[in-house]
Amino acid sequence: MREQLEKLKNITLQAIKESSSLEELQEIRINLLGRKGELTALMKGLGLLEPAERPIVGQLVNSVRDEIETALAAATESANQKLIARRLQSEQIDTSLPGRHPLKGTKHPVSLVIEEICSIFAGLGFAVAEGPEIEHDWYNFEALNFPPEHPARDMQDTFFVEKSLLLRTHTSPVQIRTMLKQKPPIRIIAPGTVYRCDSDATHSPMFHQIEGLMVDTKVTFGDLKGILTVFTNQLFGQKTGVRLRPSYFPFTEPSAEVDIACVICGGKGCRVCKNSGWLEILGAGMVDPEVYRHVQYDAENISGFAFGMGIERIAMLKYGISDMRLLFENDIRFLRQF
Ligand code: DAH
């Protein structure tokens, strides 16, 4: 039995020395000390020995077991260390590598212009109003005094959703919605998206406008010119020339188109202003009494003006962009410049 024990010990210690993984060590432990292990079997055989021999052999078995346990623990520890070392090596992070910089977004030029215009008008006491992009014919045309056969109602310009539902072709219906909701005095601007069936270098089927409306008891054409002059001077610079030309809109009377001195050539004449020295930037006029009639205002005792402008056109002039389509292609090389 002694010899058997000695042999088992030597074989096992050798196996522990030669083992290279935690799995192998675990297998050795089970084969020796598990329920069906060799040393366990030997211990069970102690009862068959002479009573006098039992304590001596028992002690020997214990010491062999302890020795093996110690060797196993040491080998397990060193296998664990090797495993950790290998992982540290393979998962090493090079902290000296430069970081990756996420691209920072910028505001779209159209948003920049809307914000700037809203803030100029906020300084003049105008609040921001909004309306739906899918609009009823009545708000988009009828209440704005477009006669039934007016060419702007033609399918060429308007995207219809249903018979009398359409994608608004301008922000002017917000005038109507505002006047129906509140009584004068009114001072609002309404930025928003509008739609027209038109597409080339200076037209997009989806674009943006800002509408303005001021209604009170004694608003004059002079107020209109004053407000628009302050506005264009703030947007394009103090010395920008402004001129008003007679025009026609169904919802204003009298109506005007507002030009600024060409921001490219300063008025001398160039390709952008088609050698006229002037650039048209908005439409305006005194609100037509017919419009007041549709919103049940007393046209005798109030007066007001309205104006409307295209944002993309202003953005193109302000930033020197020659093709409107650039604004909607979302090419990051273009957008990053703003
Ligand atoms: N709604 C017009 C358009 O889309 C622009 C406009 C012109 C608005 C004159 C106005 C105005 O309020 O008074 O072309």
Side-chain angles (χ1 to χ4, degrees):
M1 182 117 181
R2 250 176 235 273
E3 275 163 37
Q4 235 179 320
L5 268 170
E6 195 64 24
K7 206 169 140 203
L8 186 59
K9 186 180 96 177
N10 289 336
I11 289 173
T12 308
L13 289 177
Q14 187 61 31
I16 291 173
K17 225 192 232 169
E18 284 166 8
S19 76
S20 59
S21 71
L22 287 170
E23 290 75 25
E24 276 174 35
L25 290 169
Q26 181 65 3
E27 208 178 302
I28 292 171
R29 177 190 297 281
I30 291 168
N31 286 341
L32 201 71
L33 304 165
R35 250 188 317 133
K36 291 181 184 151
E38 286 182 72
L39 200 62
T40 313
L42 279 178
M43 278 157 89
K44 279 184 190 150
L46 281 179
L48 303 173
L49 293 175
E50 293 291 318
E53 265 197 275
R54 277 180 215 162
I56 304 163
V57 180
Q59 231 171 19
L60 196 61
V61 170
N62 279 344
S63 86
V64 166
R65 195 191 56 206
D66 288 351
E67 211 173 319
I68 289 172
E69 291 268 29
T70 310
L72 270 176
T76 305
E77 171 67 17
S78 110
N80 259 328
Q81 289 300 340
K82 268 187 218 146
L83 200 69
I84 290 171
R86 226 179 302 132
R87 273 189 65 183
L88 282 176
Q89 182 67 31
S90 70
E91 294 172 16
Q92 201 177 45
I93 294 168
D94 182 352
T95 50
S96 69
L97 277 175
R100 274 182 221 132
H101 292 283
L103 280 185
K104 231 196 266 166
T106 52
K107 282 188 181 164
H108 193 278
V110 168
S111 302
L112 287 175
V113 170
I114 291 178
E115 280 176 16
E116 188 174 353
I117 294 177
C118 286
S119 110
I120 293 173
F121 278 104
L124 295 166
F126 284 70
V128 172
E130 283 183 330
E133 287 173 29
I134 297 177
E135 189 54 284
H136 199 280
D137 181 283
W138 189 82
Y139 295 94
N140 197 83
F141 292 131
E142 189 85 30
L144 287 163
N145 193 34
F146 280 82
E149 305 306 323
H150 196 282
R153 290 177 169 230
D154 197 288
M155 288 294 282
Q156 278 179 27
D157 294 315
T158 310
F159 290 113
F160 283 93
V161 178
E162 286 169 14
K163 190 166 168 286
S164 51
L165 265 194
L166 43 85
L167 297 182
R168 66 179 176 190
T169 57
H170 51 178
T171 42
S172 302
V174 184
Q175 285 186 32
I176 303 299
R177 290 182 172 274
T178 305
M179 287 192 279
L180 285 172
K181 259 195 298 221
Q182 66 188 80
K183 295 274 159 261
I186 287 174
R187 247 192 264 195
I188 54 116
I189 46 164
T193 314
V194 300
Y195 303 85
R196 281 184 206 182
C197 192
D198 206 349
S199 185
D200 58 38
T202 53
H203 295 88
S204 156
M206 184 279 306
F207 61 106
H208 300 81
Q209 286 187 336
I210 289 192
E211 188 78 12
L213 176 70
M214 175 165 172
V215 184
D216 207 333
T217 47
K218 290 188 178 88
V219 177
T220 67
F221 201 91
D223 293 325
L224 170 61
K225 187 174 180 187
I227 292 264
L228 291 180
T229 304
V230 169
F231 162 66
T232 49
N233 285 349
Q234 284 200 33
L235 190 65
F236 290 105
Q238 281 308 326
K239 297 213 169 65
T240 314
V242 184
R243 83 175 178 186
L244 277 69
R245 276 180 294 111
S247 185
Y248 172 79
F249 299 103
F251 39 93
T252 45
E253 183 60 36
S255 303
E257 253 153 350
V258 179
D259 298 343
I260 55 166
C262 180
V263 290
I264 310 291
C265 63
K268 284 189 207 76
C270 67
R271 203 170 43 85
V272 175
C273 61
K274 300 199 182 83
N275 277 319
S276 71
W278 295 95
L279 297 165
E280 183 198 320
I281 58 155
L282 57 85
M286 302 308 289
V287 178
D288 194 296
E290 266 309 293
V291 175
Y292 292 137
R293 194 178 61 76
H294 280 99
V295 296
Q296 268 116 46
Y297 271 17
D298 175 10
E300 295 298 317
N301 294 307
I302 50 160
S303 61
F305 62 74
F307 57 87
M309 65 193 109
I311 307 297
E312 280 77 2
R313 177 160 168 77
I314 291 181
M316 288 167 77
L317 293 173
K318 232 179 122 63
Y319 299 120
I321 301 163
S322 57
D323 192 320
M324 190 184 284
R325 289 167 289 206
L326 281 169
L327 288 168
F328 303 113
E329 277 166 3
N330 285 335
D331 186 327
I332 205 146
R333 292 165 301 181
F334 170 78
L335 293 175
R336 276 167 97 176
Q337 298 173 52
F338 300 93

